[in-house]
Amino acid sequence: MKRIKCVIFDFCGVISLLQSINDYEETRKLADLDSSVFKELYFRYRPEYDSGLIDGLEYWGKVLSNRDIPNKNILIKQIIKLDVESWTRINNSVIQLVFRFQEVSVKIAILSNIHFDALKYIEEKYLWLENIDYKIYSCREKCIKPDKKIFLNCLSKISYLPEECLFIDDTNENIITAENLGFNTIHYTGYDELINEIESRYTFNN
């Protein structure tokens, strides 16, 4: 059993639920774009948005650039609200696990690709975030996972060696980067699978 001193959670897709198909479609319909066009544009500019290099108005302005829309900024603000809410619904099982770790004095970090609009929303809505030991957000770091730079920035903030940490993320590319840097990892595919891996492979300071 490997002893872990700090557990690092991804936010979107682990602590929060993935965006549902219905939420995605509602956002697409509000943008009034064809499915294939919307998907391509939605993800093309997302790295800039999540890196904090552009704000929500600029990001959605690029997505909607081919549409002539009166009062476009009003529509964009509606889309931002819908999109943010769709990515930030809490996975109650995982957050209870976070709290249980805290009860036995395990250090907790969040390492997340997240833009400023979503970050403002979760910091205002989820006051328990104030009690998370370390928070590393892509929009503040100006880089996103799977770039190894953000993992190195994380290590510099938490002051643990990668082999003392457990990194949990739902995206395989992020897991690969973390493993290459020496982190212990779990590729999150569901809560039951997560618990099984934790209980079979790791032990924690208390």
Side-chain angles (χ1 to χ4, degrees):
M1 300 283 281
K2 188 71 177 291
R3 183 169 292 279
I4 298 297
K5 296 182 179 180
C6 181
V7 183
I8 305 168
F9 288 87
D10 177 32
F11 192 90
C12 299
V14 179
I15 289 179
S16 72
L17 301 169
L18 287 173
Q19 184 186 53
S20 71
I21 293 173
N22 286 341
D23 285 331
Y24 176 83
E25 275 299 301
E26 190 174 349
T27 307
R28 183 192 66 79
K29 289 176 182 177
L30 192 57
D32 194 22
L33 291 171
D34 176 80
S35 294
S36 60
V37 172
F38 179 76
K39 182 177 181 179
E40 196 276 324
L41 295 174
Y42 186 87
F43 290 105
R44 182 197 296 180
Y45 304 112
R46 204 71 177 193
E48 294 175 89
Y49 190 23
D50 286 344
S51 298
L53 302 178
I54 59 175
D55 63 17
L57 287 175
E58 186 174 355
Y59 166 73
W60 284 104
K62 289 184 174 186
V63 174
L64 300 173
S65 61
N66 292 330
R67 290 195 56 207
D68 184 16
I69 307 168
N71 301 314
K72 183 178 285 189
N73 283 0
I74 294 175
L75 174 62
I76 286 175
K77 288 177 182 178
Q78 293 173 336
I79 294 175
I80 289 173
K81 181 177 184 296
L82 181 60
D83 187 57
V84 165
E85 290 176 352
S86 73
W87 281 104
T88 56
R89 296 188 178 97
I90 295 302
N91 185 335
N92 289 320
S93 296
V94 173
I95 198 59
Q96 290 305 315
L97 176 63
V98 171
F99 295 157
R100 290 201 296 274
F101 278 136
Q102 290 179 316
E103 287 172 0
V104 295
S105 300
V106 175
K107 295 297 183 181
I108 300 295
I110 292 175
L111 175 56
S112 180
N113 287 352
I114 191 168
H115 50 76
F116 280 114
D117 291 314
L119 181 56
K120 181 177 185 295
Y121 178 82
I122 65 172
E123 288 187 329
E124 291 176 352
K125 184 177 178 67
Y126 303 124
L127 299 184
W128 47 261
L129 281 168
E130 296 176 2
N131 297 320
I132 299 297
D133 299 289
Y134 311 102
K135 289 159 285 205
I136 300 90
Y137 298 122
S138 61
C139 57
R140 289 179 175 158
E141 301 298 322
K142 297 296 184 282
C143 62
I144 62 172
K145 298 175 293 185
D147 189 331
K148 72 177 182 179
K149 179 181 176 182
I150 196 169
F151 289 91
L152 296 175
N153 289 355
C154 175
L155 288 173
S156 71
K157 288 176 169 62
I158 66 177
S159 299
Y160 290 106
L161 297 172
E163 56 265 31
E164 296 175 315
C165 302
L166 172 60
F167 173 66
I168 302 168
D169 197 288
D170 66 311
T171 301
N172 193 51
E173 290 82 0
N174 301 338
I175 293 293
I176 291 170
T177 298
E179 287 179 346
N180 288 339
L181 291 170
F183 288 86
N184 301 285
T185 66
I186 295 177
H187 183 197
Y188 183 80
T189 57
Y191 180 73
D192 291 340
E193 293 81 3
L194 173 64
I195 293 300
N196 288 339
E197 287 208 56
I198 285 174
E199 291 180 347
S200 64
R201 295 168 55 190
Y202 302 107
T203 184
F204 301 86
N205 284 346
N206 55 36

PDB file of all heavy atoms in Angstrom, residues 136-147:
ATOM      1  N   ILE A 136      -5.244  25.229  -7.530  1.00  0.00           N
ATOM      2  CA  ILE A 136      -4.453  25.592  -8.697  1.00  0.00           C
ATOM      3  C   ILE A 136      -5.392  25.605  -9.898  1.00  0.00           C
ATOM      4  O   ILE A 136      -5.869  24.542 -10.335  1.00  0.00           O
ATOM      5  CB  ILE A 136      -3.284  24.610  -8.925  1.00  0.00           C
ATOM      6  CG1 ILE A 136      -2.346  24.613  -7.712  1.00  0.00           C
ATOM      7  CG2 ILE A 136      -2.508  24.988 -10.188  1.00  0.00           C
ATOM      8  CD1 ILE A 136      -2.696  23.603  -6.638  1.00  0.00           C
ATOM      9  N   TYR A 137      -5.699  26.784 -10.408  1.00  0.00           N
ATOM     10  CA  TYR A 137      -6.675  26.940 -11.476  1.00  0.00           C
ATOM     11  C   TYR A 137      -5.984  27.440 -12.749  1.00  0.00           C
ATOM     12  O   TYR A 137      -5.170  28.375 -12.692  1.00  0.00           O
ATOM     13  CB  TYR A 137      -7.761  27.928 -11.068  1.00  0.00           C
ATOM     14  CG  TYR A 137      -8.573  27.505  -9.863  1.00  0.00           C
ATOM     15  CD1 TYR A 137      -8.633  28.313  -8.726  1.00  0.00           C
ATOM     16  CD2 TYR A 137      -9.286  26.308  -9.854  1.00  0.00           C
ATOM     17  CE1 TYR A 137      -9.389  27.946  -7.620  1.00  0.00           C
ATOM     18  CE2 TYR A 137     -10.036  25.931  -8.751  1.00  0.00           C
ATOM     19  CZ  TYR A 137     -10.085  26.756  -7.633  1.00  0.00           C
ATOM     20  OH  TYR A 137     -10.831  26.380  -6.536  1.00  0.00           O
ATOM     21  N   SER A 138      -6.340  26.846 -13.853  1.00  0.00           N
ATOM     22  CA  SER A 138      -5.659  27.146 -15.120  1.00  0.00           C
ATOM     23  C   SER A 138      -5.741  28.623 -15.496  1.00  0.00           C
ATOM     24  O   SER A 138      -4.782  29.186 -16.022  1.00  0.00           O
ATOM     25  CB  SER A 138      -6.245  26.287 -16.245  1.00  0.00           C
ATOM     26  OG  SER A 138      -7.633  26.562 -16.427  1.00  0.00           O
ATOM     27  N   CYS A 139      -6.888  29.251 -15.239  1.00  0.00           N
ATOM     28  CA  CYS A 139      -7.034  30.655 -15.650  1.00  0.00           C
ATOM     29  C   CYS A 139      -6.067  31.558 -14.890  1.00  0.00           C
ATOM     30  O   CYS A 139      -5.648  32.598 -15.411  1.00  0.00           O
ATOM     31  CB  CYS A 139      -8.475  31.128 -15.468  1.00  0.00           C
ATOM     32  SG  CYS A 139      -9.123  30.955 -13.791  1.00  0.00           S
ATOM     33  N   ARG A 140      -5.701  31.167 -13.683  1.00  0.00           N
ATOM     34  CA  ARG A 140      -4.733  31.952 -12.902  1.00  0.00           C
ATOM     35  C   ARG A 140      -3.298  31.583 -13.247  1.00  0.00           C
ATOM     36  O   ARG A 140      -2.394  32.412 -13.106  1.00  0.00           O
ATOM     37  CB  ARG A 140      -4.994  31.763 -11.416  1.00  0.00           C
ATOM     38  CG  ARG A 140      -6.281  32.449 -10.949  1.00  0.00           C
ATOM     39  CD  ARG A 140      -6.547  32.252  -9.479  1.00  0.00           C
ATOM     40  NE  ARG A 140      -7.723  33.012  -9.054  1.00  0.00           N
ATOM     41  CZ  ARG A 140      -8.441  32.731  -7.974  1.00  0.00           C
ATOM     42  NH1 ARG A 140      -8.094  31.696  -7.195  1.00  0.00           N
ATOM     43  NH2 ARG A 140      -9.494  33.456  -7.661  1.00  0.00           N
ATOM     44  N   GLU A 141      -3.098  30.342 -13.679  1.00  0.00           N
ATOM     45  CA  GLU A 141      -1.749  29.879 -14.016  1.00  0.00           C
ATOM     46  C   GLU A 141      -1.368  30.218 -15.459  1.00  0.00           C
ATOM     47  O   GLU A 141      -0.211  30.103 -15.837  1.00  0.00           O
ATOM     48  CB  GLU A 141      -1.648  28.371 -13.806  1.00  0.00           C
ATOM     49  CG  GLU A 141      -1.935  27.909 -12.391  1.00  0.00           C
ATOM     50  CD  GLU A 141      -0.965  28.471 -11.376  1.00  0.00           C
ATOM     51  OE1 GLU A 141       0.232  28.575 -11.708  1.00  0.00           O
ATOM     52  OE2 GLU A 141      -1.404  28.813 -10.257  1.00  0.00           O
ATOM     53  N   LYS A 142      -2.363  30.571 -16.277  1.00  0.00           N
ATOM     54  CA  LYS A 142      -2.161  30.884 -17.693  1.00  0.00           C
ATOM     55  C   LYS A 142      -1.653  29.675 -18.494  1.00  0.00           C
ATOM     56  O   LYS A 142      -0.936  29.826 -19.484  1.00  0.00           O
ATOM     57  CB  LYS A 142      -1.201  32.079 -17.860  1.00  0.00           C
ATOM     58  CG  LYS A 142      -1.738  33.372 -17.257  1.00  0.00           C
ATOM     59  CD  LYS A 142      -2.992  33.830 -17.974  1.00  0.00           C
ATOM     60  CE  LYS A 142      -3.525  35.170 -17.469  1.00  0.00           C
ATOM     61  NZ  LYS A 142      -4.261  35.063 -16.196  1.00  0.00           N
ATOM     62  N   CYS A 143      -2.032  28.500 -18.050  1.00  0.00           N
ATOM     63  CA  CYS A 143      -1.767  27.279 -18.808  1.00  0.00           C
ATOM     64  C   CYS A 143      -2.740  26.209 -18.338  1.00  0.00           C
ATOM     65  O   CYS A 143      -3.329  26.322 -17.254  1.00  0.00           O
ATOM     66  CB  CYS A 143      -0.320  26.809 -18.647  1.00  0.00           C
ATOM     67  SG  CYS A 143       0.150  26.388 -16.967  1.00  0.00           S
ATOM     68  N   ILE A 144      -2.933  25.188 -19.174  1.00  0.00           N
ATOM     69  CA  ILE A 144      -3.937  24.168 -18.886  1.00  0.00           C
ATOM     70  C   ILE A 144      -3.313  22.778 -18.903  1.00  0.00           C
ATOM     71  O   ILE A 144      -2.285  22.535 -19.531  1.00  0.00           O
ATOM     72  CB  ILE A 144      -5.113  24.226 -19.890  1.00  0.00           C
ATOM     73  CG1 ILE A 144      -4.624  23.958 -21.320  1.00  0.00           C
ATOM     74  CG2 ILE A 144      -5.845  25.555 -19.819  1.00  0.00           C
ATOM     75  CD1 ILE A 144      -5.728  23.805 -22.340  1.00  0.00           C
ATOM     76  N   LYS A 145      -3.969  21.859 -18.184  1.00  0.00           N
ATOM     77  CA  LYS A 145      -3.636  20.448 -18.344  1.00  0.00           C
ATOM     78  C   LYS A 145      -3.964  20.038 -19.775  1.00  0.00           C
ATOM     79  O   LYS A 145      -4.922  20.539 -20.326  1.00  0.00           O
ATOM     80  CB  LYS A 145      -4.461  19.598 -17.370  1.00  0.00           C
ATOM     81  CG  LYS A 145      -4.215  19.882 -15.894  1.00  0.00           C
ATOM     82  CD  LYS A 145      -5.157  19.077 -14.996  1.00  0.00           C
ATOM     83  CE  LYS A 145      -6.603  19.519 -15.147  1.00  0.00           C
ATOM     84  NZ  LYS A 145      -7.528  18.836 -14.211  1.00  0.00           N
ATOM     85  N   PRO A 146      -3.179  19.179 -20.415  1.00  0.00           N
ATOM     86  CA  PRO A 146      -2.128  18.342 -19.845  1.00  0.00           C
ATOM     87  C   PRO A 146      -0.718  18.932 -19.888  1.00  0.00           C
ATOM     88  O   PRO A 146       0.249  18.183 -19.715  1.00  0.00           O
ATOM     89  CB  PRO A 146      -2.204  17.097 -20.714  1.00  0.00           C
ATOM     90  CG  PRO A 146      -2.600  17.615 -22.069  1.00  0.00           C
ATOM     91  CD  PRO A 146      -3.555  18.751 -21.779  1.00  0.00           C
ATOM     92  N   ASP A 147      -0.560  20.233 -20.109  1.00  0.00           N
ATOM     93  CA  ASP A 147       0.768  20.842 -20.108  1.00  0.00           C
ATOM     94  C   ASP A 147       1.454  20.559 -18.764  1.00  0.00           C
ATOM     95  O   ASP A 147       0.886  20.829 -17.692  1.00  0.00           O
ATOM     96  CB  ASP A 147       0.628  22.354 -20.319  1.00  0.00           C
ATOM     97  CG  ASP A 147       1.951  23.064 -20.551  1.00  0.00           C
ATOM     98  OD1 ASP A 147       2.980  22.595 -20.036  1.00  0.00           O
ATOM     99  OD2 ASP A 147       1.942  24.102 -21.228  1.00  0.00           O
TER     100      ASP A 147
END
